[in-house]
Amino acid sequence: MARVLKVSGPLDLAAIRAEAGVPTEFPADVLAEADRVATTSPLPDHDETDLPLVTIDPPGARDLDQAVHLTRTATGYRVSYAIADVGAFVPLGSAIDAEARRRGQTVYCPDGRTPLHPPQLSEGAASLLPGQLRPAALWTIDLDADGEVTTVDLRRARVRSRAQLDYESVGGQVPPELELLPEIGRLLQARARDRGAIELGMPSQEVEPAPDGSWAIAFRGQSDVEGWNAQISLLTGRCAARLMLDGGVGVLRTLPPADPGAVEALRRLAPGLGVAWPAGAGPGEVVASLDPARPRDAAFLDAAASLLRGAAYTAFDGPPPAQPGHGGVGSPYAHVTAPLRRLVDRFGTEVCLALAAGEQPAAGLRAALPELPALMAASDRRTHAVERAVVDLVEATVLAGRVGDVFDAVVLDADEKRSTVVLAELAVQARCDGRLTPGERVRVRLTAADPATRSVRFSPAGD
């Protein structure tokens, strides 16, 4: 079923970034400092350049945060995960540090990215590019045969990635360097289900420039390779959270457990959508059994998003937070694997490096932790606003000349006055007047499509 939407001509994405307050150019002092540290930052003494690490990222990526190596041991598996050592280039209190706090995270748009750090670092000296000697925070995590963590080691090390791989090529044929990724990934997914993790796996709307100069928007689901690779990152984040909680200091990514009332409401919805909910099964187990490509499963998964509300960053220094867990992961969890692209990961990594060495984090680092939740919340809002506005603009632009046309659609959710529908043949998700039945196939009429306001609206076709 075709789900790609195309629009020709220019789109004013710069206006969207300006409206959301996305920073533009880096200040001169930040660029000068980046030029200096890119060539003067020392490498760690610990040498792991013989470790055959590889990176897996979207094609063409230059800001490479992670490199992985997987091997079998006598009792299970060893995961070696090198994370770009951004802290080696960005001292606390530096001009780059201040600018990174202002930005919060890299903002991605179809016409390019607005990076968290100057490109000479994020796409150069700090990036784990293939064949380059780089400083890294190297996690060595041993698992037993069932995928449970047995030992964790973390230290600064010099590394050299062997190759830059992408998800599509790895999915076509898993290379020798990653032959254990499917095996370990599936084990970790099974342990996540055991913990009650809730991983929705819903397709996302993505806008990309097409080779012919047009713009394309499509629903894109997560491939198996992306899912397995994500499990390595989640594993590392769980180990980081454990280090922080044991050490009594850190910043966690938290999400309250699913509200029992929301779980019960979802359970009542399941029969109407033809979703099996076996006796004794948790919502995570039910969600993991579904196929987002099936309309009724997609409607159920959309409703299941109500279980994952209240995500936040929680800093602590002393007693652990009253609610330290992450309901989606099924355990305490911390962001530490994307420091080139997300501010909080650099601070989390520095805390973990100190604790793993048997030391206390420096006073300046501890003092910065309480500021991070507000900084990350602001940057999350800005990023989500840009992403939504870009999709809304493309949808409204391509449909502007089709007001009055009728489309086949599937209902995702509904309240008393309006519903959300996704078109069957185009990658459009929009509001529809009237209360419809989730999971139902309907015909809807386009009543409004205005690029100026980036708005699209439907109503039941009634034919």
Side-chain angles (χ1 to χ4, degrees):
M1 180 164 52
R3 303 299 294 278
V4 177
L5 191 68
K6 282 194 174 185
V7 57
S8 300
L11 295 174
D12 193 358
L13 304 185
I16 289 176
R17 288 190 289 269
E19 179 183 301
V22 176
T24 53
E25 300 299 323
F26 285 94
D29 62 331
V30 173
L31 293 175
E33 188 173 81
D35 285 336
R36 178 177 57 80
V37 299
T39 58
T40 60
S41 295
L43 288 166
D45 293 332
H46 187 68
D47 190 339
E48 289 285 356
T49 51
D50 288 339
L51 194 63
L53 297 159
V54 297
T55 60
I56 319 173
D57 290 273
R62 296 282 298 173
D63 48 350
L64 310 184
D65 284 291
Q66 315 108 7
V68 64
H69 176 252
L70 307 171
T71 189
R72 202 180 300 276
T73 66
T75 56
Y77 310 90
R78 171 163 289 180
V79 175
S80 300
Y81 208 39
I83 306 301
D85 188 1
V86 179
F89 298 92
V90 185
L92 290 176
S94 64
I96 304 174
D97 178 36
E99 181 66 12
R101 296 191 200 202
R102 185 169 77 94
R103 292 174 177 245
Q105 60 190 286
T106 296
V107 178
Y108 293 90
C109 272
D111 60 348
R113 62 177 70 90
T114 305
L116 173 62
H117 301 101
Q120 54 264 59
L121 297 182
S122 61
E123 301 179 15
S127 179
L128 301 181
L129 297 167
Q132 303 300 309
L133 195 60
R134 291 289 187 259
L138 180 63
W139 293 84
T140 305
I141 305 170
D142 285 344
L143 307 173
D144 65 18
D146 294 322
E148 297 285 3
V149 176
T150 57
T151 61
V152 178
D153 181 81
L154 171 64
R155 64 185 67 195
R156 282 192 154 96
R158 59 178 71 188
V159 301
R160 182 182 285 111
S161 171
R162 295 292 198 272
Q164 180 177 352
L165 308 177
D166 62 73
Y167 295 118
E168 185 174 348
S169 63
V170 172
Q173 181 175 3
V174 178
E177 299 95 333
L178 293 174
E179 62 180 355
L180 288 177
L181 182 61
E183 185 174 337
I184 295 174
R186 291 188 181 105
L187 270 179
L188 293 174
Q189 288 170 334
R191 299 292 75 76
R193 290 192 292 272
D194 293 344
R195 295 193 308 271
I198 302 174
E199 300 175 346
L200 297 182
M202 285 290 287
S204 59
Q205 286 174 292
E206 295 189 1
V207 177
E208 297 179 349
D212 62 2
S214 65
W215 300 90
I217 178 173
F219 281 111
R220 183 178 178 277
Q222 188 182 66
S223 69
D224 287 341
V225 172
E226 288 173 284
W228 300 328
N229 193 49
Q231 288 298 324
I232 303 299
S233 181
L234 292 169
L235 166 69
T236 307
R238 291 192 290 115
C239 292
R242 188 72 269 157
L243 260 177
M244 293 175 184
L245 289 168
D246 289 346
V249 60
V251 56
L252 304 175
R253 182 62 166 163
T254 55
L255 181 70
D259 177 76
V263 173
E264 185 55 34
L266 196 65
R267 193 189 304 272
R268 291 195 300 269
L269 177 65
L273 293 175
V275 171
W277 194 312
E285 185 177 346
V286 175
V287 162
S289 70
L290 302 182
D291 179 3
R294 295 177 53 200
R296 293 195 165 201
D297 284 7
F300 184 87
L301 290 169
D302 189 75
S306 65
L307 306 181
L308 302 177
R309 290 177 179 161
Y313 291 95
T314 303
F316 66 101
D317 195 341
Q323 199 298 102
H326 190 292
V329 180
S331 76
Y333 172 64
H335 276 160
V336 294
T337 62
L340 288 172
R341 293 173 275 179
R342 195 169 47 208
L343 174 70
V344 70
D345 298 51
R346 167 165 55 96
F347 290 85
T349 294
E350 292 298 322
V351 168
C352 288
L353 282 165
L355 295 174
E359 303 169 356
Q360 286 298 307
L365 177 59
R366 300 177 90 117
L369 298 181
E371 302 175 16
L372 294 174
L375 292 173
M376 291 307 304
S379 69
D380 280 343
R381 287 192 297 270
R382 184 167 57 233
T383 297
H384 295 158
V386 169
E387 292 172 348
R388 187 65 255 169
V390 169
V391 170
D392 289 345
L393 175 60
V394 174
E395 289 181 336
T397 300
V398 79
L399 291 174
R402 301 188 63 178
V403 172
D405 286 2
V406 174
F407 301 84
D408 291 322
V410 174
V411 183
L412 289 184
D413 63 34
D415 57 29
E416 292 300 324
K417 296 183 178 180
R418 59 185 183 177
S419 307
T420 301
V421 298
V422 58
L423 301 190
E425 298 299 327
L426 294 173
V428 172
Q429 180 175 315
R431 301 304 267 169
C432 180
D433 295 326
R435 179 177 175 82
L436 302 172
T437 302
E440 182 183 17
R441 293 181 182 271
V442 296
R443 286 177 61 79
V444 295
R445 189 180 307 278
L446 181 64
T447 57
D450 185 358
T453 59
R454 307 181 199 122
S455 59
V456 172
R457 194 84 174 196
F458 293 90
S459 64
D463 57 9

